[in-house]
Amino acid sequence: MRIALALEYDGSRFCGWQQQPTGNSVQDALQGALRQFSGAELKVVCAGRTDAGVHALGQVVHFDTTLDRSLYAWVRGSNTFLPTSVAVRWAHAVEADFHARASALARHYRYLLLNRAHRPGVWHGRLGWYHHPLDVHAMQTAAGLLLGEHDFSAFRAAECQAVSPVKFMYQARVERNGDLLVFDFIASAFLHHMVRNLVGSLVHVGQGKQAPDWISSLLASRDRRLAAPTFTADGLYLVAVHYPARWGLPVADDIPLLPLAVNARAITDPFER
């Protein structure tokens, strides 16, 4: 039997998703909890490997098992042995050809940026921070230039292992809610550090260092050296992973992120080109 799980986690306590010799990754925590609950070694595969400090509300994984457990038991049993900063949200039985990464249509990432003179206290580690005033209208104009299919090499980390830098951006939006700027990106897939690099360049536009059409120039250049520095991981969240309806997986886009933030909008069909 193949089981899909969705989980949320506070990434500030981990060295990232990927299993590490130190054992301090989200994958290590989940596989350890599954082992304690089931008594078996279960290898999980995720939809998107998040970096150190990156959070998730709708990470999706799958694993194979011969054990006969109810879906409810997989949720409760896993959560019993997980650290408090990680929680399984649901479990779903899927066909053997389902793959958490390869079956996904798109991923939704959200970046939360506090835009005020003084740094965050209560929300330290959960929000990015920028102290200079930012022009959100200019940033949204620039973000609109990211829509469609592009080579995103200018926003790709040097260590990125993706086969191709060409991705399709379904949504790129920047909105202000008081002192909070909310960046939403939905794309077919993302390159290593791509969202954080996009946020860094959009902040340059918002501060007036570059005009909005600079983003088009960066895309055309395919040169990472010309774009802005990578922004901090603190405010980055993997909100949801979208799959074809035939898998019957729950949609996680309607969950609130933080009391400060605007709720994610329900997406009925973001994949129409």
Side-chain angles (χ1 to χ4, degrees):
M1 179 182 293
R2 180 159 290 187
I3 302 292
L5 301 178
L7 58 153
E8 60 184 56
Y9 48 84
D10 176 357
S12 62
R13 301 168 184 246
F14 297 98
C15 61
W17 165 266
Q18 188 73 16
Q19 192 171 16
Q20 298 292 329
T22 61
N24 187 36
S25 72
V26 182
Q27 184 179 11
D28 288 311
L30 179 59
Q31 290 182 169
L34 290 170
R35 181 174 59 252
Q36 287 181 276
F37 166 62
S38 68
E41 293 289 343
L42 300 175
K43 180 77 171 180
V44 300
V45 176
C46 75
R49 290 179 291 180
T50 52
D51 291 333
V54 178
H55 317 292
L57 291 176
Q59 175 72 274
V60 177
V61 308
H62 79 259
F63 62 89
D64 294 324
T65 179
T66 58
L67 299 173
D68 184 15
R69 301 284 190 276
S70 71
L71 297 176
Y72 177 77
W74 283 114
V75 175
R76 287 294 301 271
S78 301
N79 284 337
T80 297
F81 297 104
L82 279 168
T84 55
S85 53
V86 186
V88 173
R89 299 187 59 243
W90 51 254
H92 194 84
V94 290
E95 298 297 325
D97 58 339
F98 173 84
H99 192 281
R101 183 182 69 257
S103 298
L105 289 171
R107 287 87 173 159
H108 178 181
Y109 278 92
R110 169 170 284 196
Y111 196 95
L112 300 180
L113 180 64
L114 188 64
N115 184 210
R116 69 183 187 193
H118 54 286
R119 63 173 177 80
V122 172
W123 298 112
H124 173 72
R126 307 290 184 87
L127 301 172
W129 172 56
Y130 197 76
H131 57 289
H132 290 299
L134 294 172
D135 181 346
V136 177
H137 177 73
M139 296 167 78
Q140 177 55 52
T141 300
L145 301 173
L146 298 167
L147 297 175
E149 188 172 76
H150 300 284
D151 183 324
F152 284 94
S153 293
F155 304 100
R156 179 182 192 173
E159 61 271 28
C160 181
Q161 299 176 1
V163 174
S164 171
V166 177
K167 308 298 175 189
F168 196 98
M169 185 72 74
Y170 297 103
Q171 183 183 101
R173 183 166 55 207
V174 187
E175 295 182 346
R176 179 180 289 278
N177 183 26
D179 289 335
L180 187 70
L181 269 60
V182 182
F183 300 74
D184 278 303
F185 301 98
I186 300 178
S188 54
F190 289 86
L191 303 169
H192 192 199
H193 287 175
M194 179 172 156
V195 175
R196 292 164 59 190
N197 291 335
L198 288 171
V199 170
S201 291
L202 291 173
V203 166
H204 262 40
V205 171
Q207 198 182 348
K209 292 181 177 180
Q210 298 288 349
D213 60 4
W214 178 57
I215 295 297
S216 292
S217 300
L218 291 176
L219 289 170
S221 76
R222 304 179 184 179
D223 190 343
R224 175 70 190 99
R225 296 169 298 177
L226 301 179
T230 305
F231 225 74
T232 177
D234 293 352
L236 184 56
Y237 294 77
L238 173 56
V239 176
V241 184
H242 295 274
Y243 294 93
R246 73 183 184 91
W247 298 115
L249 299 181
V251 177
D253 258 348
D254 59 345
I255 50 182
L257 199 50
L258 289 172
L260 314 179
V262 235
N263 291 353
R265 290 166 174 75
I267 312 271
T268 49
D269 189 3
F271 314 116
E272 292 243 349
R273 300 191 183 186

